[in-house]
């Protein structure tokens, strides 16, 4: 298995191109199941999760052509030839459950494996199930698989979500485009990836209003046609690389970055005495002081501070001046990076959903392990500011969500290399 070796680096300078959003692409790709006509996605990121989704869709009947080095996904589902999303694919990637809504809408039945737990939490699907049942689906759990069917097609309904689940909003939004009548999603998730999906579905002929707010209204139509759509910029990759100059010093421009994708995160960086400036090409991030200021962080649904940037922010706060408290409110077990950071000398106390971080002068390089996708990159960030070498193992987690990590970090002056062992 490969490892990544990180040498203390900094100050950093230069530009990082930010890719298309993994979490947008993973919901845009299943939208191909809603139409017989081809869907083309440009600015698609080159990630193992995207390849996993392509594999799943191909097993259902989609013709997937990855063109131009994976940046373009040409997807065509003339006919759904298999209605089962098997456990061996779904357990690798929870987002596989996003074929449930489109398959139900297009063909009236679907069998989708429950994803099983993952490192950060139990990841249940009760909100997806309750909502689709309100639209007329009959769903039962058998042998770890959800067996979903509709006798007379899905029908529009008012669907209040008990929690603004991103995935549930996406499944319902896609299903509702072909349902009979009007669907209203109340307490809908407002993430930019939802807005991107709605814009793509509208290009395919869907009638949607209110995306980006907590109330989305969809008028069902008889069929959708093909479209070409650019995947929105990845706000989580953006925030991750914004932390590189924050942690290691210097000034870096993130190409394609826009402040409105992660306003709460930018505000927190500025509170920590890091400057964030919008440029014609993206966001310019500069570390003004040797040590950043300690800040308290609470993860929330959009537009709050993103849970997917919590681990990376913790890496910054390990060497901040003062004590920071991070509260994780979205997932029940998302502090597994804390013990790894403590191996590097960080002073962190975790209790339930709270982590108290007392800033230390300097972290020390050490062998550490990637525990989940976002925690993996936070170890690289910590290694940039550490004395000596940090060796990160289990880097397959990284490949799921960060393309060209080594070249992007080294392109701004970091000293990291990937070694096969
Ligand atoms: C999406 O996951 C993202 N994944 C996650 O990113 C992200 O952390 C999450 O949204 C929150 O922003 C993709 O978009 C592929 P949720 P999703 O449904 O849709 C609970 C990454 O690193 N819940 O909003 O699964 C759930 O257990 C990944 O890229 C239920 O209880 O998130 C969690 O505690 C990690 N019942 C909370 O809601 C349900 O039916 C948020 O889940 C659904 C969710």
């Amino acid at each position: 298995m490969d490892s990544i070796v990180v040498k203390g680096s900094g100050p950093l300078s230069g530009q990082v191109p930010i890719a298309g959003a993994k979490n947008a692409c993973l919901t845009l790709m299943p939208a191909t199941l809603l139409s017989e006509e081809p869907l083309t996605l440009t600015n698609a990121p080159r990630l193992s999760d995207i390849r996993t989704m392509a594999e799943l869709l191909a097993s259902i009947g989609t013709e997937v052509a990855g063109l131009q080095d994976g940046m373009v996904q040409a997807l065509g589902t003339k006919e759904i030839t298999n209605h089962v999303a098997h456990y061996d694919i779904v357990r690798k990637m929870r987002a596989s459950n996003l074929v449930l809504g489109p398959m139900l809408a297009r063909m009236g039945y679907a069998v989708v494996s429950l994803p099983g737990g993952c490192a950060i939490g139990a990841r249940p699907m009760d909100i997806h199930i309750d909502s689709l049942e309100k639209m007329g689906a009959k769903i039962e759990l058998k042998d770890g698989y959800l067996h979903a069917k509709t006798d007379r097609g899905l029908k529009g309904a008012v669907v209040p979500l008990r929690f603004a689940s991103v995935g549930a909003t996406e499944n319902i939004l896609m299903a509702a485009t072909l349902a009979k009548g009007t669907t209203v999603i109340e307490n809908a998730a407002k993430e930019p990836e939802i807005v991107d999906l709605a814009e793509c579905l509208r290009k395919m002929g869907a009638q949607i209003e209110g995306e980006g707010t907590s109330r989305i209204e969809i008028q069902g139509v008889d069929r959708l046609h093909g479209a070409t759509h650019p995947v929105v910029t990845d706000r989580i990759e953006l925030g991750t690389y914004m932390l590189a100059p924050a942690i290691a010093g210097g000034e870096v421009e993130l190409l394609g970055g826009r402040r409105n994708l992660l306003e709460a995160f930018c505000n927190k960086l500025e509170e920590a005495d890091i400057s964030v400036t919008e440029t014609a090409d993206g966001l310019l991030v500069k570390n003004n002081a040797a040590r950043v200021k300690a800040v308290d962080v609470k993860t929330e649904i959009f537009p709050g501070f993103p849970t997917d940037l919590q681990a990376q922010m913790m890496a910054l706060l390990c060497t901040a001046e003062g004590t920071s408290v991070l509260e994780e409110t979205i997932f029940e077990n998302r502090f597994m990076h804390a013990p790894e950071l403590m191996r590097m000398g960080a002073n962190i106390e975790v209790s339930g959903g709270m982590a108290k971080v007392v800033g230390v002068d300097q972290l020390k390089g050490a062998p550490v392990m990637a525990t989940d996708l976002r925690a993996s990159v936070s170890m690289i960030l910590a290694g940039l500011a550490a004395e000596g070498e940090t060796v990160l193992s289990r880097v397959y987690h990284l490949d799921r969500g960060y393309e060209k990590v080594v070249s992007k970090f080294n392109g701004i002056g970091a000293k990291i290399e990937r070694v096969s062992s």
Side-chain angles (χ1 to χ4, degrees), residues 153 180 186 220 272 325 366:
K180 290 182 189 57
E186 294 177 342
V325 175

Side-chain angles (χ1 to χ4, degrees), residues 15 30 32 47 63 78 83 114 120 142 149 162 205 223 232 247-248 286 303 329 338 358 404 419:
Q15 298 177 321
T32 181
L47 301 168
E63 278 169 47
K78 287 196 179 59
H83 62 284
L114 273 181
I120 60 177
K142 260 187 331 199
K149 64 181 173 42
R162 71 170 173 80
R223 60 190 298 279
V232 69
I247 286 179
K286 191 169 182 304
T329 70
V358 179
K404 301 186 172 179
V419 294

Side-chain angles (χ1 to χ4, degrees), residues 86-107:
H86 285 288
Y87 178 51
D88 58 344
I89 291 190
V90 177
R91 70 176 170 76
K92 267 195 292 188
M93 183 183 66
R94 172 184 167 78
S96 308
N97 64 16
L98 294 172
V99 301
L100 176 59
M103 265 210 279
L104 256 184
R106 175 85 179 276
M107 62 191 299

Side-chain angles (χ1 to χ4, degrees), residues 2-335:
D2 290 4
S3 303
I4 284 190
V5 181
V6 186
K7 289 189 174 58
S9 315
L12 306 178
S13 68
Q15 298 177 321
V16 181
I18 301 300
K22 165 179 86 77
N23 290 349
C25 201
L26 289 175
T27 190
L28 290 165
M29 290 173 75
T32 181
L33 299 172
L34 293 166
S35 165
E36 307 84 49
E37 296 180 21
L39 172 63
T40 299
L41 300 175
T42 59
N43 194 36
R46 306 167 186 80
L47 301 168
S48 60
D49 268 11
I50 303 305
R51 290 190 290 276
T52 301
M53 180 58 82
E55 195 187 306
L56 170 61
L57 291 172
S59 76
I60 293 172
T62 301
E63 278 169 47
V64 183
L67 315 174
Q68 292 163 20
D69 177 27
M71 282 275 285
V72 175
Q73 300 281 347
L75 310 161
T77 316
K78 287 196 179 59
E79 188 197 348
I80 291 180
T81 55
N82 161 39
H83 62 284
V84 182
H86 285 288
Y87 178 51
D88 58 344
I89 291 190
V90 177
R91 70 176 170 76
K92 267 195 292 188
M93 183 183 66
R94 172 184 167 78
S96 308
N97 64 16
L98 294 172
V99 301
L100 176 59
M103 265 210 279
L104 256 184
R106 175 85 179 276
M107 62 191 299
Y109 58 97
V111 177
V112 176
S113 169
L114 273 181
C118 81
I120 60 177
R123 313 292 295 271
M125 282 187 62
D126 59 298
I127 302 171
H128 300 245
I129 293 164
D130 295 349
S131 305
L132 291 168
E133 285 178 337
K134 283 190 176 65
M135 297 173 71
K138 288 186 180 40
I139 302 180
E140 56 169 344
L141 176 63
K142 260 187 331 199
D143 315 323
Y145 282 77
L146 293 178
H147 291 253
K149 64 181 173 42
T150 62
D151 300 333
R152 289 182 300 283
L154 292 172
K155 59 185 189 323
V158 175
V159 181
L161 304 189
R162 71 170 173 80
F163 173 83
S165 156
V166 171
T169 302
E170 291 164 345
N171 251 330
I172 302 153
L173 179 53
M174 289 190 280
T177 58
L178 295 178
K180 290 182 189 57
T182 305
T183 299
V184 177
I185 307 173
E186 294 177 342
N187 193 30
K190 301 184 270 194
E191 274 70 3
E193 293 75 36
I194 307 274
V195 172
D196 204 37
L197 174 62
E199 286 170 357
C200 177
L201 293 169
R202 197 175 287 121
K203 285 180 190 168
M204 295 171 72
Q207 292 181 19
I208 301 168
E209 279 177 17
E211 70 276 6
T213 74
S214 52
R215 185 183 188 280
I216 305 178
E217 184 168 320
I218 307 104
Q219 305 293 344
V221 295
D222 294 337
R223 60 190 298 279
L224 294 181
H225 48 73
T228 296
H229 181 76
V231 178
V232 69
T233 302
D234 192 323
R235 62 195 168 96
I236 305 304
E237 188 194 30
L238 171 59
T240 300
Y241 285 105
M242 288 171 74
L243 283 165
I247 286 179
E251 184 174 73
V252 172
E253 186 176 26
L254 296 312
L255 301 178
R258 294 200 321 274
R259 192 180 176 111
N260 65 0
L261 287 169
L262 70 182
E263 186 75 45
F265 175 79
C266 292
N267 295 342
K268 268 301 160 192
L269 282 194
E270 288 170 335
E271 200 184 315
D273 200 15
I274 299 294
S275 72
V276 179
T277 315
E278 288 217 300
T279 66
D281 300 321
L283 290 180
L284 191 66
V285 176
K286 191 169 182 304
N287 177 341
N288 295 319
R291 281 185 81 178
V292 300
K293 289 197 179 70
V295 293
D296 292 341
V297 171
K298 179 179 179 184
T299 64
E300 293 172 299
I301 59 173
F302 194 86
F305 189 101
T307 175
D308 292 350
L309 284 169
Q310 177 260 109
Q312 299 91 314
M313 190 70 181
M314 187 184 282
L316 173 68
L317 297 175
C318 287
T319 53
E321 194 161 354
T323 298
S324 310
V325 175
L326 292 101
E327 186 181 358
E328 172 56 57
T329 70
I330 306 295
F331 288 102
E332 64 266 31
N333 182 34
R334 203 169 194 176
F335 285 136

